[in-house]
């Protein structure tokens, strides 16, 4: 079954929003015009998970969201209303927690675990107590190991599941091989005549029952029925756990920990020593080897069942770039899902950089829409204003680096601070390859690692997709170009610091194109590149998304995944938008169009406001200088710096509530955001090393200016002007999302104004009663033919206008399904201040026109309608009716003053 959504609605499931809650809002979503619910992961995740991406059991639903029966009830409700379910799944990683039985088996049994190959672990060697052994390194301790041990923060325990260690809320199993150590200690506390034959056999012959439930069950049975044994075991455990203040008393516990298949370590050594692949730098999310056929089946079994049962109609694949062979994985998944004549609807969470296109080898329907977000957002950025903002930014901050420079520097920073161990391991593998090449064998491993670091930091895209089966020199041209551009840039940036012959060797390796005399080594070269490709996306995500984006504050509405904060002032947003849509309609007509997600840095209406700054650059410069002078006395030790002060003012411009009832929560929301932003920036504080003094000064400044009446009065006078234009930008954005090629997605709650920031701010509870009530009231008025758009525009602050536009557009999509699914896209030239195009399919057509860069057309408070447009026209043959106003237009030259006579957007269907 290939079901293309007409429109999706993203829901974030958690304990506070369950299957039953989704069932309750299904009628509202159907009334709004949504065709498919787009759900966050629903498999069992860690207890208390707010997002579901930390899966612990791939074969069961998350009980915090509801039972299997409640999920079935949700399915029945969706089915009754002809709503599909597009499900988010997470193949790349799982939670490394005690709730994950697969992971616990690996920790308990090490190399003997049947699940060892499920996880991406390098068990080659971990050093502990002066010797090396095959262990999993667990950097989970808050202090160095010895301090933690002697502070009695690690303790041995026993229950029905056997012996285990605790470290605060973490539970860690004992290897069956080490049970005998504890049991022999227990025997010392038992009278000779009270030791059962069974217990003596268990203590002396423990090697005969490793990796078995038998040992645990037998011990628990004895424990429950023999009080003498129970007391003796407790005494033995207490002795092993040691005595506070007596260092030698912890030797037994230390030795017992050393006998395990894992080594506990201080969290700060994770970047240096960790030997399993993580999700980015998150230690408690472990990479899964889904490329293994057995793991693929185990990881996808429940999802495949839900699809076979008709309960899931589409998939979103999380973090596709983390997989070993993304294209191969998707081909395999489609082979399990597709009908003989069609394939299953699948979208990839794939971040495409400027100019990058999704590889056509992916058997999917498109991406989750970050590329659309970047394109539609750029429409509302004034190029001349951006140039002025750049000059002002450099002058006020003293920062002259380009965004490309910032990205390079920050990627090098995260390689050093977060991924040094992984990079060193790659460098070691590269050194082994060099030894087999007579022209590279003399390169020192440290120099090879340095060159690889440079190339990785110079990659412009998240990853390349070289894969098994490709002949030498036959890599995709886009991949070849990405690698060669990175090599060129690495040579330029490193200058004479790195021997350029290292880059010559690296280029051949990364293109998997060995010289003939080492052709036999090609398979080893490919294995290395496959590993490196998994790594580059992590560097990009942490270095750019989570660091550079918080350091380059020229115009922060551009600081979004897939967008270009360093956007050239020569770029033409209108031409780019049309060119992208033509390309998407041709290659990926069923992709997703999104403007907000659970991962975006700012809500869609926040960006729409901040973009206006580019249209008012001189006024913005004047205001910022004024505010900075006004607030100078509130700075403590020079905090915030000018760059952070710009971030703060732009953020306030974007998130200031329209509803005064939301003002009391503003200080806490802002302070939560500033703490996260400053730590992500990694300049004066960070998640690794929080600088409380700096953070207190930054948050104190923010709190002080919010409380200052002089600043608030002056700020709001300017902010209200921005907010008005921002509302118009938001309407244009909503129209384009629903009418451009692709399926529009609506993130939860965004059918009204949404002035959220990055998570957790954008994951707050949504008031669906309010939204449902507004929609019902609108529809009731429409049924009576008494719904007027003028009051909606006049009182735009209440958000009903956005709901109205969304509802009318989704009605339109329902009336013209073939057109919006497969119709052509034809740009119309209506001047620099209008985005216009026609969608056609057979004899059907829809014309779309929305204004852009409105601040140059009208004063604040004045709508861009009527005579504002002078004698400008656009050409469209036939008779048309405006879906928002009901106004009709004759074909030919349509005056914009008529097209926008009473409403600041026009979507026309054939009359």
């Amino acid at each position: 079954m290939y079901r293309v959504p007409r429109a999706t609605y993203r829901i974030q499931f958690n304990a506070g929003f369950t299957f039953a809650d989704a069932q309750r809002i299904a009628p509202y979503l159907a009334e709004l015009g949504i065709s498919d619910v787009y759900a966050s992961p629903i498999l069992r995740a860690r207890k208390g998970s707010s997002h579901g991406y930390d899966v612990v059991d791939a074969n069961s639903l998350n009980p915090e969201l509801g039972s299997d029966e409640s999920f079935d009830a949700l399915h029945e409700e969706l089915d009754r209303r002809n709503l599909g379910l597009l499900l988010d799944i997470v193949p790349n990683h799982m939670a490394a927690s005690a709730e994950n039985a697969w992971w616990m088996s690996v920790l308990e049994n090490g190399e003997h675990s049947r699940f060892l190959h499920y996880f991406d672990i390098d068990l080659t060697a971990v050093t502990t107590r002066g010797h090396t052994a095959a262990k999993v390194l667990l950097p989970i301790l808050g202090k160095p190991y010895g301090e933690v041990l002697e502070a009695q923060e690690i303790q041995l325990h026993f229950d029905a599941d056997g012996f285990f260690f605790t470290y605060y809320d973490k539970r860690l199993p004992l290897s069956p091989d080490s049970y005998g150590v504890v049991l022999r200690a227990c025997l010392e506390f038992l009278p000779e005549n009270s030791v059962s034959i069974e217990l003596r056999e268990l203590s002396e012959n423990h090697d005969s029952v490793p990796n078995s439930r038998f040992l645990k069950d037998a011990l628990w049975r004895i424990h429950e029925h023999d009080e003498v044994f129970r007391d003796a075991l407790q005494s033995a455990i207490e002795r092993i756990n040691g005595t506070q203040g007596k260092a030698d008393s912890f030797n037994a516990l230390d030795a017992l920990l050393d006998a395990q298949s894992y080594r506990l370590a201080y969290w700060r050594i994770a970047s240096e020593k960790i030997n399993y692949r993580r999700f980015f730098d998150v230690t408690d999310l472990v990479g899964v080897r889904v490329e293994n056929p057995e793991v693929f089946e185990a990881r996808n079994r429940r999802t495949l069942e839900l699809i076979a049962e008709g309960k899931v109609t589409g998939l979103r694949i999380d973090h596709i770039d983390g997989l070993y062979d993304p294209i191969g994985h998707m081909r395999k998944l489609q082979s399990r899902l597709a009908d003989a004549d069609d394939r299953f609807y699948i979208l990839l969470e794939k971040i495409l950089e400027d100019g990058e296109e999704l590889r056509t080898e992916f058997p999917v329907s498109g991406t989750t829409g970050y590329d659309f977000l970047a394109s539609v957002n750029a429409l509302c950025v004034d190029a001349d204003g951006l140039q002025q903002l750049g000059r002002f930014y450099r002058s006020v901050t003293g920062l002259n680096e380009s965004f490309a420079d910032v990205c390079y520097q920050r990627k090098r920073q995260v390689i050093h601070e977060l991924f040094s161990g992984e990079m060193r391991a790659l460098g070691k593998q590269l050194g082994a390859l060099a030894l087999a090449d007579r022209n590279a064998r003399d390169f020192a491993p440290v120099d090879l690692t340095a060159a690889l670091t440079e190339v990785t930091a110079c990659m412009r895209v998240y990853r390349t997709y070289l894969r098994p089966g490709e002949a030498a020199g036959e890599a995709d041209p886009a991949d070849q170009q990405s690698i060669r551009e990175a090599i060129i840039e690495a040579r330029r940036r490193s200058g004479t610091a790195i021997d350029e012959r290292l880059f010559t060797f690296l280029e051949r390796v990364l293109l998997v194109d060995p010289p003939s005399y080492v052709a036999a080594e090609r398979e080893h070269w490919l294995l290395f590149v496959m590993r490196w490709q998994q790594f580059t996306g992590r560097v990009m995500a942490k270095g750019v998304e989570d660091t550079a984006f918080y350091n380059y504050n020229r115009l922060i509405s551009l600081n979004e995944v897939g967008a270009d904060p360093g956007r050239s002032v020569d770029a033409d947003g209108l031409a780019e938008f049309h060119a992208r849509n033509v390309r998407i309609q041709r290659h990926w007509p069923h992709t997703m169009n999104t403007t907000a997600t659970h991962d975006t840095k700012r809500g869609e209406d926040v960006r729409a406001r901040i973009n206006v700054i580019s249209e008012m650059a001189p006024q913005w410069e004047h205001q910022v200088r004024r505010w900075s002078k006004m607030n100078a006395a509130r700075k403590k030790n020079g905090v915030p710096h000018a760059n952070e002060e710009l971030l703060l003012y732009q953020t306030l411009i974007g998130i200031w509530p329209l509803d005064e009832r939301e003002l009391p929560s503003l200080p806490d929301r802002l302070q939560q955001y500033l703490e996260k932003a400053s730590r992500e920036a990694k300049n004066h504080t960070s998640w690794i090393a929080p600088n409380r003094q700096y953070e207190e000064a930054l948050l104190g400044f923010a709190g002080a200016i919010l409380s200052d009446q002089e600043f608030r009065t002056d700020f709001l006078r300017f902010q209200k002007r921005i907010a008005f234009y921002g509302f118009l930008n938001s309407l244009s954005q909503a129209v384009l999302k629903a009418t451009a090629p692709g399926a529009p997605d609506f993130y939860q709650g965004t059918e009204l104004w949404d002035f959220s920031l990055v998570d957790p701010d954008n994951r707050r509870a949504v008031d669906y009663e309010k939204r449902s009530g507004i929609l019902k009231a609108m529809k009731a008025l429409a049924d009576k033919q008494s719904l007027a758009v003028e009051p909606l525009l006049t009182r735009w602050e209440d958000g009903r206008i956005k709901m109205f536009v969304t509802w009318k557009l989704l009605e339109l999509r329902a009336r013209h399904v073939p057109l919006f699914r497969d119709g052509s896209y034809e740009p119309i030239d209506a001047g620099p201040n209008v985005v216009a195009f026609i969608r056609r399919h057979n004899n059907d057509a829809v014309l779309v026109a929305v204004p852009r860069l409105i601040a140059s057309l009208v004063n604040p408070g004045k709508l861009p309608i009527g005579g504002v447009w002078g004698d400008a026209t656009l050409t469209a043959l036939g008779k048309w009716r405006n879906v928002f106003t009901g106004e009709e237009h004759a074909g030919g030259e349509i005056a914009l003053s008529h097209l926008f006579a009473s409403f600041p957007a026009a979507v026309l269907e054939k009359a």
Side-chain angles (χ1 to χ4, degrees):
M1 176 186 68
Y2 184 63
R3 176 190 174 105
V4 179
R6 199 171 62 244
T8 59
Y9 191 94
R10 173 69 180 207
I11 285 175
Q12 292 297 115
F13 279 118
N14 52 60
F17 192 88
T18 64
F19 297 144
D21 294 311
Q23 183 182 349
R24 278 190 288 272
I25 70 167
Y28 159 70
L29 297 181
E31 284 294 315
L32 182 61
I34 298 299
S35 69
D36 293 72
V37 170
Y38 173 22
S40 62
I42 62 173
L43 297 180
R44 184 188 290 266
R46 281 185 295 202
K47 290 178 182 176
S49 174
S50 63
H51 47 76
Y53 290 93
D54 44 358
V55 172
V56 297
D57 183 355
N59 291 309
S60 65
L61 300 182
N62 189 346
E64 292 190 345
L65 309 183
S67 63
D68 284 14
E69 291 74 21
S70 61
F71 179 74
D72 288 344
L74 169 60
H75 164 65
E76 290 169 6
E77 180 67 23
L78 297 179
D79 195 48
R80 184 160 44 248
R81 300 185 181 277
N82 196 28
L83 291 168
L85 180 63
L86 177 62
L87 181 63
D88 199 339
I89 64 171
V90 193
N92 177 72
H93 54 270
M94 296 181 75
S97 89
E99 299 166 73
N100 186 340
W102 297 349
W103 181 244
M104 284 297 101
S105 173
V106 171
L107 297 188
E108 182 174 0
N109 302 295
E111 293 176 296
H112 301 293
S113 171
R114 65 173 295 263
F115 298 107
L116 178 63
H117 62 287
Y118 278 43
F119 300 104
D120 205 342
I121 306 170
D122 177 10
L123 278 183
T124 50
V126 169
T127 302
T128 176
R129 300 184 70 184
H131 63 273
T132 58
K135 293 176 180 280
V136 178
L137 184 78
L138 296 182
I140 62 174
L141 304 181
K143 295 179 290 189
Y145 169 75
E147 293 180 24
V148 169
L149 187 75
E150 295 181 12
Q152 294 187 302
E153 294 172 12
I154 303 172
Q155 294 280 282
L156 176 66
H157 300 274
F158 178 75
D159 66 11
D161 289 320
F163 291 110
F164 63 97
F165 299 108
T166 59
Y167 175 67
Y168 293 98
D169 63 338
K170 298 188 184 301
R171 178 181 175 126
L172 301 157
L174 252 70
S175 164
D177 292 345
S178 61
Y179 271 46
V181 175
V182 183
L183 293 179
R184 285 191 289 274
C186 174
L187 293 180
E188 296 179 22
F189 289 92
L190 285 170
E192 183 68 27
N193 59 2
S194 68
V195 180
S196 68
I197 295 174
E198 183 180 26
L199 180 59
R200 191 174 297 281
E201 287 177 343
L202 290 174
S203 65
E204 294 175 353
N205 300 311
H206 57 279
D207 288 340
S208 64
V209 285
N211 202 13
S212 171
R213 184 74 213 179
F214 169 79
L215 183 59
K216 299 172 186 176
D217 289 344
L219 285 175
W220 184 248
R221 176 167 39 78
I222 299 171
H223 179 275
E224 289 298 280
H225 293 93
D226 189 334
E227 183 178 355
V228 175
F229 169 72
R230 192 159 55 244
D231 293 342
L233 182 60
Q234 185 59 36
S235 296
I237 288 174
E238 289 175 359
R239 185 170 72 179
I240 290 172
N241 281 333
T243 303
Q244 188 76 39
K246 295 184 179 180
D248 288 346
S249 70
F250 298 102
N251 292 346
L253 182 60
D254 183 24
L256 189 61
L257 284 162
D258 186 51
Q260 305 312 307
S261 298
Y262 51 85
R263 175 195 156 192
L264 300 184
Y266 187 24
W267 69 269
R268 286 185 178 275
I269 75 166
S271 64
E272 289 279 343
K273 301 290 187 180
I274 200 161
N275 63 339
Y276 60 85
R277 181 170 58 87
R278 300 167 287 172
F279 171 67
F280 298 154
D281 64 330
V282 183
T283 300
D284 56 6
L285 292 176
V286 56
V288 176
R289 294 191 62 230
V290 76
E291 66 273 13
N292 180 286
E294 180 188 344
V295 181
F296 176 91
E297 293 299 327
R299 191 67 185 79
N300 289 299
R301 183 176 299 117
R302 188 72 178 104
T303 301
L304 294 172
E305 289 173 356
L306 292 173
I307 293 170
E309 293 164 2
K311 296 172 182 175
V312 169
T313 57
L315 293 176
R316 176 229 196 228
I317 310 300
D318 180 68
H319 192 48
I320 187 67
D321 280 348
L323 304 189
Y324 185 70
D325 179 9
I327 294 173
H329 177 80
M330 294 315 307
R331 286 176 174 171
K332 185 171 186 178
L333 187 58
Q334 278 287 11
S335 73
R336 293 296 308 276
L337 294 173
D339 295 331
D341 300 323
D342 219 338
R343 62 188 185 192
F344 197 70
Y345 185 79
I346 301 178
L347 299 174
L348 303 179
E349 186 209 20
K350 168 61 188 170
I351 308 219
L352 299 168
E353 291 300 292
D354 184 37
E356 183 185 10
E357 296 182 23
L358 183 63
R359 291 276 294 269
T360 56
E361 294 94 328
F362 277 113
V364 299
S365 298
T367 73
T368 52
Y370 285 113
D371 45 318
F372 175 82
L373 184 157
S375 182
V376 77
N377 190 59
L379 278 173
C380 296
V381 175
D382 181 84
D384 291 337
L386 193 62
Q387 185 172 35
Q388 290 180 270
L389 291 177
R391 287 195 295 266
F392 171 56
Y393 179 66
R394 291 187 293 273
S395 70
V396 76
T397 64
L399 301 173
N400 294 308
E401 297 92 347
S402 68
F403 182 66
D405 292 335
V406 175
C407 288
Y408 166 76
Q409 294 159 6
R410 297 304 178 159
K411 283 192 277 187
R412 281 185 55 88
Q413 179 183 1
V414 299
I415 290 172
H416 172 71
E417 294 180 0
L418 305 180
F419 304 122
S420 58
E422 286 95 330
M423 179 55 78
R424 191 164 52 251
L426 285 168
K428 184 178 179 181
Q429 294 174 45
L430 186 60
L433 299 181
L435 286 175
D437 187 333
R438 62 176 177 248
N439 285 309
R441 63 189 299 176
D442 293 332
F443 294 145
V446 66
D447 294 331
L448 286 164
T449 303
L452 186 62
T453 297
E454 286 294 312
V455 173
T456 303
C458 290
M459 284 290 290
R460 197 183 62 81
V461 296
Y462 276 69
R463 66 166 287 165
T464 51
Y465 297 93
L466 280 74
R467 56 188 310 271
E470 290 179 335
E474 291 186 2
D476 183 86
D479 285 346
Q480 294 187 47
Q481 181 178 350
S482 293
I483 290 170
R484 289 189 171 115
E485 286 177 353
I487 294 284
I488 291 169
E489 184 67 4
R491 278 191 166 110
R492 184 186 73 82
R493 289 190 180 274
S494 64
T496 59
I498 296 177
D499 188 333
E500 70 89 26
R501 287 170 292 190
L502 287 160
F503 293 118
T504 300
F505 173 64
L506 253 182
E507 182 173 355
R508 300 205 70 151
V509 170
L510 296 180
L511 291 172
V512 197
D513 189 18
S516 58
Y517 57 85
V518 286
E521 295 294 313
R522 186 176 187 276
E523 189 64 27
H524 294 117
W525 285 32
L526 177 61
L527 291 174
F528 167 79
V529 172
M530 297 285 282
R531 274 297 187 188
W532 175 73
Q533 289 178 144
Q534 281 184 286
F535 178 66
T536 58
R538 297 166 67 189
V539 173
M540 191 78 164
K542 296 305 296 182
V544 180
E545 289 178 44
D546 290 349
T547 308
F549 278 5
Y550 291 94
N551 279 279
Y552 191 82
N553 298 323
R554 176 181 63 167
L555 184 68
I556 61 174
S557 52
L558 290 173
N559 297 16
E560 198 59 80
V561 288
D564 181 11
R567 182 177 175 79
S568 169
V569 297
D570 297 323
D572 184 339
L574 183 57
E576 290 172 354
F577 182 77
H578 285 315
R580 176 202 174 272
N581 287 341
V582 169
R583 185 175 68 251
I584 291 297
Q585 194 282 328
R586 184 180 301 123
H587 298 298
W588 306 102
H590 306 151
T591 190
M592 178 177 280
N593 295 340
T594 193
T595 45
T597 77
H598 62 289
D599 279 335
T600 41
K601 303 300 183 185
R602 291 162 190 87
E604 59 189 46
D605 300 318
V606 174
R607 287 195 309 274
R609 284 179 172 180
I610 295 172
N611 282 336
V612 178
I613 292 172
S614 70
E615 299 183 67
M616 304 174 67
Q619 299 96 311
W620 172 250
E621 179 175 349
H622 170 77
Q623 289 294 147
V624 169
R625 293 190 186 278
R626 177 180 171 83
W627 296 334
S628 186
K629 185 177 180 180
M630 186 184 299
N631 296 324
R634 297 181 178 87
K635 293 187 177 183
K636 186 176 180 181
N637 298 323
V639 178
H641 304 285
N643 196 31
E644 294 144 341
E645 197 171 357
L646 275 174
L647 172 69
L648 172 57
Y649 295 144
Q650 290 181 71
T651 299
L652 284 174
I653 287 286
I655 70 170
W656 199 275
L658 291 168
D659 188 340
E660 290 190 357
R661 290 170 294 184
E662 297 178 11
L663 280 173
S665 66
L666 181 62
D668 287 343
R669 290 178 55 216
L670 180 63
Q671 292 198 352
Q672 181 184 56
Y673 171 72
L674 289 176
E675 179 183 81
K676 178 170 184 171
S678 61
R679 291 183 180 183
E680 296 283 26
K682 303 174 184 66
N683 293 317
H684 313 289
T685 185
S686 68
W687 297 110
I688 294 175
N691 182 339
R692 300 297 182 188
Q693 184 178 5
Y694 169 83
E695 290 176 1
E696 287 172 5
L698 176 62
L699 303 188
F701 177 85
I705 67 171
L706 285 179
S707 302
D708 182 80
Q709 193 57 48
E710 181 187 9
F711 169 74
R712 282 180 65 142
T713 300
D714 194 72
F715 172 80
L716 287 175
R717 187 182 299 117
F718 183 73
Q719 193 275 341
K720 286 180 179 178
R721 297 164 63 193
I722 295 278
F724 174 77
Y725 295 126
F727 124 69
L728 294 167
N729 279 350
S730 288
L731 288 192
S732 293
Q733 179 175 249
V735 170
L736 295 174
K737 176 171 70 173
T739 55
D745 174 57
F746 298 85
Y747 183 69
Q748 58 181 29
T750 59
E751 60 271 35
L752 295 181
W753 301 130
D754 176 53
F755 302 114
S756 295
L757 290 164
V758 72
D759 69 280
D761 194 57
N762 62 6
R763 301 181 191 182
R764 290 172 291 159
V766 176
D767 186 346
Y768 284 108
E769 280 192 26
K770 175 183 177 181
R771 285 161 174 75
S772 180
I774 290 173
L775 183 60
K776 285 178 180 177
M778 270 188 200
K779 287 199 165 189
L781 289 172
D783 289 343
K784 298 175 184 177
Q785 296 186 335
S786 55
L787 177 61
V789 297
E790 184 179 359
L792 299 179
L793 289 168
T794 303
R795 294 192 287 273
W796 63 268
E797 292 94 339
D798 63 20
R800 290 183 303 148
I801 185 63
K802 190 179 183 188
M803 171 81 80
F804 169 77
V805 166
T806 300
W807 162 47
K808 299 305 288 185
L809 289 170
L810 295 186
E811 274 194 336
L812 177 76
R813 290 186 67 89
R815 291 196 298 271
H816 301 273
V817 172
L819 181 144
F820 284 110
R821 174 174 162 151
D822 298 311
S824 65
Y825 179 92
E826 303 170 14
I828 297 175
D829 183 3
N833 294 104
V834 175
V835 186
F837 54 87
I838 291 180
R839 303 293 309 276
R840 295 187 193 276
H841 185 266
N842 296 333
N843 296 322
D844 195 10
V846 168
L847 186 152
V848 178
V850 296
R852 65 186 284 260
L853 306 180
I854 303 159
S856 63
L857 299 177
V858 294
N859 292 325
K862 181 177 174 59
L863 293 170
I865 57 178
V868 167
W869 297 99
D871 57 1
T873 64
L874 62 75
T875 302
L877 300 177
K879 292 184 178 181
W880 306 87
R881 185 185 65 84
N882 191 318
V883 301
F884 299 129
T885 65
E887 296 165 336
E888 295 194 354
H889 301 273
E893 294 291 318
I894 303 176
L896 297 187
S897 59
H898 293 163
L899 192 65
F900 300 128
S902 60
F903 199 81
V907 177
L908 313 182
E909 59 185 339
K910 289 278 189 173

